[in-house]
mmCIF file of all heavy atoms in Angstrom:
data_model
loop_
_atom_site.group_PDB
_atom_site.id
_atom_site.type_symbol
_atom_site.label_atom_id
_atom_site.label_comp_id
_atom_site.label_asym_id
_atom_site.label_seq_id
_atom_site.Cartn_x
_atom_site.Cartn_y
_atom_site.Cartn_z
ATOM 1 N N GLY A 1 -10.498 6.448 31.137
ATOM 2 C CA GLY A 1 -10.820 5.253 31.915
ATOM 3 C C GLY A 1 -12.270 4.843 31.887
ATOM 4 O O GLY A 1 -12.729 4.120 32.775
ATOM 5 N N ALA A 2 -13.029 5.276 30.852
ATOM 6 C CA ALA A 2 -14.433 4.891 30.735
ATOM 7 C C ALA A 2 -14.544 3.427 30.322
ATOM 8 O O ALA A 2 -13.744 2.937 29.525
ATOM 9 C CB ALA A 2 -15.143 5.783 29.719
ATOM 10 N N LYS A 3 -15.541 2.731 30.843
ATOM 11 C CA LYS A 3 -15.701 1.300 30.589
ATOM 12 C C LYS A 3 -16.750 0.988 29.526
ATOM 13 O O LYS A 3 -16.765 -0.107 28.980
ATOM 14 C CB LYS A 3 -16.068 0.584 31.885
ATOM 15 C CG LYS A 3 -15.034 0.745 32.998
ATOM 16 C CD LYS A 3 -13.669 0.189 32.586
ATOM 17 C CE LYS A 3 -12.655 0.314 33.725
ATOM 18 N NZ LYS A 3 -11.312 -0.163 33.292
ATOM 19 N N LYS A 4 -17.645 1.937 29.252
ATOM 20 C CA LYS A 4 -18.726 1.686 28.314
ATOM 21 C C LYS A 4 -18.983 2.935 27.487
ATOM 22 O O LYS A 4 -18.929 4.053 27.998
ATOM 23 C CB LYS A 4 -19.998 1.279 29.065
ATOM 24 C CG LYS A 4 -21.145 0.856 28.154
ATOM 25 C CD LYS A 4 -22.345 0.379 28.968
ATOM 26 C CE LYS A 4 -23.476 -0.061 28.054
ATOM 27 N NZ LYS A 4 -24.662 -0.511 28.816
ATOM 28 N N ARG A 5 -19.266 2.741 26.214
ATOM 29 C CA ARG A 5 -19.563 3.857 25.327
ATOM 30 C C ARG A 5 -20.814 4.585 25.830
ATOM 31 O O ARG A 5 -21.850 3.957 26.060
ATOM 32 C CB ARG A 5 -19.809 3.342 23.896
ATOM 33 C CG ARG A 5 -20.028 4.450 22.865
ATOM 34 C CD ARG A 5 -20.392 3.855 21.507
ATOM 35 N NE ARG A 5 -20.663 4.914 20.540
ATOM 36 C CZ ARG A 5 -19.789 5.353 19.650
ATOM 37 N NH1 ARG A 5 -18.582 4.798 19.582
ATOM 38 N NH2 ARG A 5 -20.094 6.329 18.820
ATOM 39 N N PRO A 6 -20.743 5.895 26.003
ATOM 40 C CA PRO A 6 -21.900 6.631 26.544
ATOM 41 C C PRO A 6 -23.037 6.704 25.535
ATOM 42 O O PRO A 6 -22.812 6.758 24.323
ATOM 43 C CB PRO A 6 -21.328 8.021 26.836
ATOM 44 C CG PRO A 6 -20.178 8.174 25.890
ATOM 45 C CD PRO A 6 -19.592 6.799 25.756
ATOM 46 N N ALA A 7 -24.249 6.719 26.048
ATOM 47 C CA ALA A 7 -25.425 6.835 25.186
ATOM 48 C C ALA A 7 -25.677 8.283 24.781
ATOM 49 O O ALA A 7 -26.225 8.549 23.714
ATOM 50 C CB ALA A 7 -26.654 6.272 25.905
ATOM 51 N N LYS A 8 -25.264 9.224 25.633
ATOM 52 C CA LYS A 8 -25.505 10.632 25.361
ATOM 53 C C LYS A 8 -24.543 11.126 24.282
ATOM 54 O O LYS A 8 -23.326 10.939 24.377
ATOM 55 C CB LYS A 8 -25.332 11.447 26.645
ATOM 56 C CG LYS A 8 -25.814 12.893 26.527
ATOM 57 C CD LYS A 8 -25.767 13.595 27.878
ATOM 58 C CE LYS A 8 -26.289 15.021 27.768
ATOM 59 N NZ LYS A 8 -26.242 15.721 29.077
ATOM 60 N N LEU A 9 -25.101 11.778 23.240
ATOM 61 C CA LEU A 9 -24.311 12.186 22.084
ATOM 62 C C LEU A 9 -23.176 13.128 22.462
ATOM 63 O O LEU A 9 -22.038 12.960 22.003
ATOM 64 C CB LEU A 9 -25.218 12.843 21.042
ATOM 65 C CG LEU A 9 -24.519 13.365 19.780
ATOM 66 C CD1 LEU A 9 -23.809 12.238 19.050
ATOM 67 C CD2 LEU A 9 -25.514 14.059 18.858
ATOM 68 N N SER A 10 -23.452 14.122 23.307
ATOM 69 C CA SER A 10 -22.423 15.102 23.645
ATOM 70 C C SER A 10 -21.227 14.454 24.336
ATOM 71 O O SER A 10 -20.075 14.863 24.136
ATOM 72 C CB SER A 10 -23.003 16.200 24.537
ATOM 73 O OG SER A 10 -23.503 15.660 25.743
ATOM 74 N N GLN A 11 -21.481 13.429 25.142
ATOM 75 C CA GLN A 11 -20.386 12.732 25.818
ATOM 76 C C GLN A 11 -19.547 11.932 24.814
ATOM 77 O O GLN A 11 -18.315 11.885 24.911
ATOM 78 C CB GLN A 11 -20.940 11.822 26.900
ATOM 79 C CG GLN A 11 -21.602 12.576 28.049
ATOM 80 C CD GLN A 11 -22.258 11.641 29.062
ATOM 81 O OE1 GLN A 11 -22.383 10.440 28.823
ATOM 82 N NE2 GLN A 11 -22.672 12.196 30.193
ATOM 83 N N ALA A 12 -20.217 11.293 23.834
ATOM 84 C CA ALA A 12 -19.479 10.578 22.787
ATOM 85 C C ALA A 12 -18.671 11.547 21.939
ATOM 86 O O ALA A 12 -17.540 11.248 21.527
ATOM 87 C CB ALA A 12 -20.447 9.791 21.911
ATOM 88 N N GLN A 13 -19.230 12.738 21.688
ATOM 89 C CA GLN A 13 -18.498 13.758 20.928
ATOM 90 C C GLN A 13 -17.229 14.173 21.663
ATOM 91 O O GLN A 13 -16.156 14.324 21.056
ATOM 92 C CB GLN A 13 -19.397 14.982 20.697
ATOM 93 C CG GLN A 13 -20.518 14.731 19.700
ATOM 94 C CD GLN A 13 -21.470 15.910 19.614
ATOM 95 O OE1 GLN A 13 -21.769 16.567 20.618
ATOM 96 N NE2 GLN A 13 -21.950 16.194 18.416
ATOM 97 N N ALA A 14 -17.339 14.369 22.975
ATOM 98 C CA ALA A 14 -16.179 14.760 23.766
ATOM 99 C C ALA A 14 -15.100 13.678 23.731
ATOM 100 O O ALA A 14 -13.894 13.972 23.629
ATOM 101 C CB ALA A 14 -16.596 15.051 25.207
ATOM 102 N N LEU A 15 -15.514 12.418 23.808
ATOM 103 C CA LEU A 15 -14.553 11.323 23.755
ATOM 104 C C LEU A 15 -13.864 11.271 22.392
ATOM 105 O O LEU A 15 -12.665 11.008 22.297
ATOM 106 C CB LEU A 15 -15.251 9.997 24.039
ATOM 107 C CG LEU A 15 -15.763 9.805 25.468
ATOM 108 C CD1 LEU A 15 -16.565 8.519 25.564
ATOM 109 C CD2 LEU A 15 -14.604 9.775 26.462
ATOM 110 N N ALA A 16 -14.632 11.521 21.329
ATOM 111 C CA ALA A 16 -14.047 11.532 19.987
ATOM 112 C C ALA A 16 -13.008 12.638 19.858
ATOM 113 O O ALA A 16 -11.946 12.446 19.257
ATOM 114 C CB ALA A 16 -15.140 11.721 18.938
ATOM 115 N N ALA A 17 -13.303 13.798 20.445
ATOM 116 C CA ALA A 17 -12.356 14.910 20.399
ATOM 117 C C ALA A 17 -11.065 14.567 21.137
ATOM 118 O O ALA A 17 -9.960 14.923 20.711
ATOM 119 C CB ALA A 17 -12.996 16.162 21.001
ATOM 120 N N LEU A 18 -11.192 13.844 22.252
ATOM 121 C CA LEU A 18 -10.015 13.426 23.002
ATOM 122 C C LEU A 18 -9.195 12.385 22.230
ATOM 123 O O LEU A 18 -7.960 12.418 22.233
ATOM 124 C CB LEU A 18 -10.434 12.813 24.346
ATOM 125 C CG LEU A 18 -10.835 13.763 25.458
ATOM 126 C CD1 LEU A 18 -11.462 12.974 26.600
ATOM 127 C CD2 LEU A 18 -9.631 14.542 25.959
ATOM 128 N N GLY A 19 -9.892 11.455 21.572
ATOM 129 C CA GLY A 19 -9.196 10.327 20.966
ATOM 130 C C GLY A 19 -8.663 10.543 19.569
ATOM 131 O O GLY A 19 -7.721 9.856 19.159
ATOM 132 N N GLN A 20 -9.229 11.505 18.811
ATOM 133 C CA GLN A 20 -8.875 11.628 17.395
ATOM 134 C C GLN A 20 -7.405 11.979 17.174
ATOM 135 O O GLN A 20 -6.742 11.404 16.315
ATOM 136 C CB GLN A 20 -9.774 12.669 16.712
ATOM 137 C CG GLN A 20 -9.560 12.774 15.213
ATOM 138 C CD GLN A 20 -9.914 11.498 14.463
ATOM 139 O OE1 GLN A 20 -10.839 10.778 14.833
ATOM 140 N NE2 GLN A 20 -9.172 11.207 13.404
ATOM 141 N N SER A 21 -6.890 12.918 17.957
ATOM 142 C CA SER A 21 -5.487 13.310 17.763
ATOM 143 C C SER A 21 -4.545 12.159 18.099
ATOM 144 O O SER A 21 -3.515 11.958 17.432
ATOM 145 C CB SER A 21 -5.152 14.540 18.614
ATOM 146 O OG SER A 21 -5.347 14.268 19.996
ATOM 147 N N LYS A 22 -4.904 11.379 19.103
ATOM 148 C CA LYS A 22 -4.072 10.222 19.456
ATOM 149 C C LYS A 22 -4.113 9.178 18.341
ATOM 150 O O LYS A 22 -3.093 8.560 18.012
ATOM 151 C CB LYS A 22 -4.543 9.611 20.776
ATOM 152 C CG LYS A 22 -4.300 10.512 21.977
ATOM 153 C CD LYS A 22 -4.569 9.770 23.284
ATOM 154 C CE LYS A 22 -4.186 10.630 24.473
ATOM 155 N NZ LYS A 22 -4.327 9.912 25.749
ATOM 156 N N LEU A 23 -5.291 8.989 17.784
ATOM 157 C CA LEU A 23 -5.431 8.028 16.691
ATOM 158 C C LEU A 23 -4.534 8.420 15.519
ATOM 159 O O LEU A 23 -3.809 7.586 14.961
ATOM 160 C CB LEU A 23 -6.897 7.969 16.241
ATOM 161 C CG LEU A 23 -7.233 7.009 15.101
ATOM 162 C CD1 LEU A 23 -6.982 5.567 15.515
ATOM 163 C CD2 LEU A 23 -8.691 7.196 14.665
ATOM 164 N N MET A 24 -4.561 9.685 15.153
ATOM 165 C CA MET A 24 -3.756 10.132 14.017
ATOM 166 C C MET A 24 -2.266 10.061 14.316
ATOM 167 O O MET A 24 -1.457 9.838 13.405
ATOM 168 C CB MET A 24 -4.153 11.556 13.629
ATOM 169 C CG MET A 24 -5.484 11.642 12.912
ATOM 170 S SD MET A 24 -5.623 10.562 11.458
ATOM 171 C CE MET A 24 -4.272 11.174 10.462
ATOM 172 N N SER A 25 -1.892 10.229 15.576
ATOM 173 C CA SER A 25 -0.470 10.142 15.915
ATOM 174 C C SER A 25 0.061 8.733 15.657
ATOM 175 O O SER A 25 1.208 8.552 15.230
ATOM 176 C CB SER A 25 -0.224 10.549 17.370
ATOM 177 O OG SER A 25 -0.725 9.580 18.277
ATOM 178 N N PHE A 26 -0.784 7.705 15.909
ATOM 179 C CA PHE A 26 -0.399 6.333 15.599
ATOM 180 C C PHE A 26 -0.144 6.171 14.099
ATOM 181 O O PHE A 26 0.867 5.590 13.680
ATOM 182 C CB PHE A 26 -1.496 5.349 16.025
ATOM 183 C CG PHE A 26 -1.544 5.070 17.497
ATOM 184 C CD1 PHE A 26 -2.633 5.458 18.255
ATOM 185 C CD2 PHE A 26 -0.507 4.395 18.123
ATOM 186 C CE1 PHE A 26 -2.691 5.189 19.617
ATOM 187 C CE2 PHE A 26 -0.557 4.116 19.489
ATOM 188 C CZ PHE A 26 -1.651 4.524 20.238
ATOM 189 N N TYR A 27 -1.070 6.683 13.295
ATOM 190 C CA TYR A 27 -0.931 6.532 11.850
ATOM 191 C C TYR A 27 0.266 7.315 11.305
ATOM 192 O O TYR A 27 1.023 6.808 10.464
ATOM 193 C CB TYR A 27 -2.219 6.970 11.145
ATOM 194 C CG TYR A 27 -3.311 5.944 11.238
ATOM 195 C CD1 TYR A 27 -4.462 6.177 11.985
ATOM 196 C CD2 TYR A 27 -3.193 4.719 10.577
ATOM 197 C CE1 TYR A 27 -5.462 5.216 12.070
ATOM 198 C CE2 TYR A 27 -4.191 3.757 10.666
ATOM 199 C CZ TYR A 27 -5.315 4.016 11.412
ATOM 200 O OH TYR A 27 -6.303 3.059 11.506
ATOM 201 N N GLU A 28 0.441 8.543 11.752
ATOM 202 C CA GLU A 28 1.559 9.351 11.239
ATOM 203 C C GLU A 28 2.901 8.704 11.581
ATOM 204 O O GLU A 28 3.813 8.673 10.737
ATOM 205 C CB GLU A 28 1.480 10.764 11.813
ATOM 206 C CG GLU A 28 2.654 11.671 11.432
ATOM 207 C CD GLU A 28 2.829 11.848 9.930
ATOM 208 O OE1 GLU A 28 1.843 11.656 9.182
ATOM 209 O OE2 GLU A 28 3.960 12.176 9.508
ATOM 210 N N ARG A 29 3.023 8.185 12.780
ATOM 211 C CA ARG A 29 4.279 7.544 13.174
ATOM 212 C C ARG A 29 4.606 6.370 12.264
ATOM 213 O O ARG A 29 5.752 6.208 11.825
ATOM 214 C CB ARG A 29 4.176 7.075 14.625
ATOM 215 C CG ARG A 29 5.464 6.451 15.175
ATOM 216 C CD ARG A 29 5.258 5.996 16.610
ATOM 217 N NE ARG A 29 4.267 4.908 16.691
ATOM 218 C CZ ARG A 29 3.574 4.630 17.787
ATOM 219 N NH1 ARG A 29 3.735 5.349 18.884
ATOM 220 N NH2 ARG A 29 2.712 3.625 17.781
ATOM 221 N N GLU A 30 3.603 5.548 11.960
ATOM 222 C CA GLU A 30 3.852 4.371 11.125
ATOM 223 C C GLU A 30 4.059 4.750 9.664
ATOM 224 O O GLU A 30 4.900 4.159 8.974
ATOM 225 C CB GLU A 30 2.700 3.372 11.261
ATOM 226 C CG GLU A 30 2.557 2.794 12.655
ATOM 227 C CD GLU A 30 3.851 2.152 13.156
ATOM 228 O OE1 GLU A 30 4.546 1.492 12.347
ATOM 229 O OE2 GLU A 30 4.166 2.309 14.351
ATOM 230 N N CYS A 31 3.287 5.716 9.172
ATOM 231 C CA CYS A 31 3.460 6.144 7.780
ATOM 232 C C CYS A 31 4.848 6.726 7.548
ATOM 233 O O CYS A 31 5.479 6.484 6.507
ATOM 234 C CB CYS A 31 2.391 7.173 7.405
ATOM 235 S SG CYS A 31 0.727 6.492 7.238
ATOM 236 N N ALA A 32 5.333 7.498 8.526
ATOM 237 C CA ALA A 32 6.653 8.120 8.393
ATOM 238 C C ALA A 32 7.754 7.074 8.214
ATOM 239 O O ALA A 32 8.754 7.321 7.524
ATOM 240 C CB ALA A 32 6.938 8.995 9.600
ATOM 241 N N LYS A 33 7.578 5.900 8.795
ATOM 242 C CA LYS A 33 8.569 4.830 8.653
ATOM 243 C C LYS A 33 8.697 4.372 7.204
ATOM 244 O O LYS A 33 9.732 3.824 6.800
ATOM 245 C CB LYS A 33 8.181 3.636 9.529
ATOM 246 C CG LYS A 33 8.244 3.899 11.028
ATOM 247 C CD LYS A 33 7.782 2.663 11.802
ATOM 248 C CE LYS A 33 7.781 2.916 13.310
ATOM 249 N NZ LYS A 33 7.289 1.735 14.061
ATOM 250 N N HIS A 34 7.643 4.588 6.420
ATOM 251 C CA HIS A 34 7.638 4.136 5.030
ATOM 252 C C HIS A 34 7.785 5.286 4.041
ATOM 253 O O HIS A 34 7.615 5.085 2.829
ATOM 254 C CB HIS A 34 6.349 3.362 4.752
ATOM 255 C CG HIS A 34 6.192 2.137 5.599
ATOM 256 N ND1 HIS A 34 6.765 0.922 5.280
ATOM 257 C CD2 HIS A 34 5.556 1.951 6.793
ATOM 258 C CE1 HIS A 34 6.473 0.037 6.221
ATOM 259 N NE2 HIS A 34 5.733 0.632 7.146
ATOM 260 N N GLY A 35 8.059 6.481 4.561
ATOM 261 C CA GLY A 35 8.382 7.596 3.680
ATOM 262 C C GLY A 35 7.218 8.417 3.179
ATOM 263 O O GLY A 35 7.354 9.173 2.212
ATOM 264 N N PHE A 36 6.066 8.305 3.814
ATOM 265 C CA PHE A 36 4.936 9.157 3.434
ATOM 266 C C PHE A 36 4.199 9.588 4.691
ATOM 267 O O PHE A 36 4.586 9.216 5.808
ATOM 268 C CB PHE A 36 3.995 8.448 2.451
ATOM 269 C CG PHE A 36 3.464 7.124 2.914
ATOM 270 C CD1 PHE A 36 2.294 7.022 3.645
ATOM 271 C CD2 PHE A 36 4.138 5.947 2.596
ATOM 272 C CE1 PHE A 36 1.802 5.801 4.070
ATOM 273 C CE2 PHE A 36 3.648 4.709 3.007
ATOM 274 C CZ PHE A 36 2.487 4.633 3.743
ATOM 275 N N HIS A 37 3.165 10.397 4.534
ATOM 276 C CA HIS A 37 2.461 10.977 5.674
ATOM 277 C C HIS A 37 1.002 10.520 5.714
ATOM 278 O O HIS A 37 0.396 10.185 4.694
ATOM 279 C CB HIS A 37 2.501 12.505 5.614
ATOM 280 C CG HIS A 37 3.876 13.063 5.707
ATOM 281 N ND1 HIS A 37 4.589 13.110 6.884
ATOM 282 C CD2 HIS A 37 4.684 13.579 4.743
ATOM 283 C CE1 HIS A 37 5.774 13.649 6.662
ATOM 284 N NE2 HIS A 37 5.858 13.937 5.377
ATOM 285 N N ALA A 38 0.431 10.541 6.918
ATOM 286 C CA ALA A 38 -0.995 10.296 7.115
ATOM 287 C C ALA A 38 -1.717 11.637 7.074
ATOM 288 O O ALA A 38 -1.344 12.576 7.778
ATOM 289 C CB ALA A 38 -1.237 9.614 8.465
#
């Protein structure tokens, strides 16, 4: 629920760690529909 990208690097790193797996789940789901993997 953050509203603005943090200026502190460690906080941005933590957000990236939270978001990366979700991002890949979007891609894998769509790729699977076409018969290949992300």
Side-chain angles (χ1 to χ4, degrees):
K3 301 300 182 183
K4 186 176 181 181
R5 184 185 177 98
K8 191 173 182 180
L9 178 60
S10 60
Q11 294 175 350
Q13 289 174 323
L15 292 174
L18 282 169
Q20 185 64 34
S21 60
K22 292 190 174 185
L23 180 64
M24 286 306 301
S25 71
F26 283 114
Y27 283 112
E28 176 58 23
R29 183 181 65 203
E30 296 305 321
C31 289
K33 293 178 182 178
H34 299 276
F36 55 89
H37 297 285

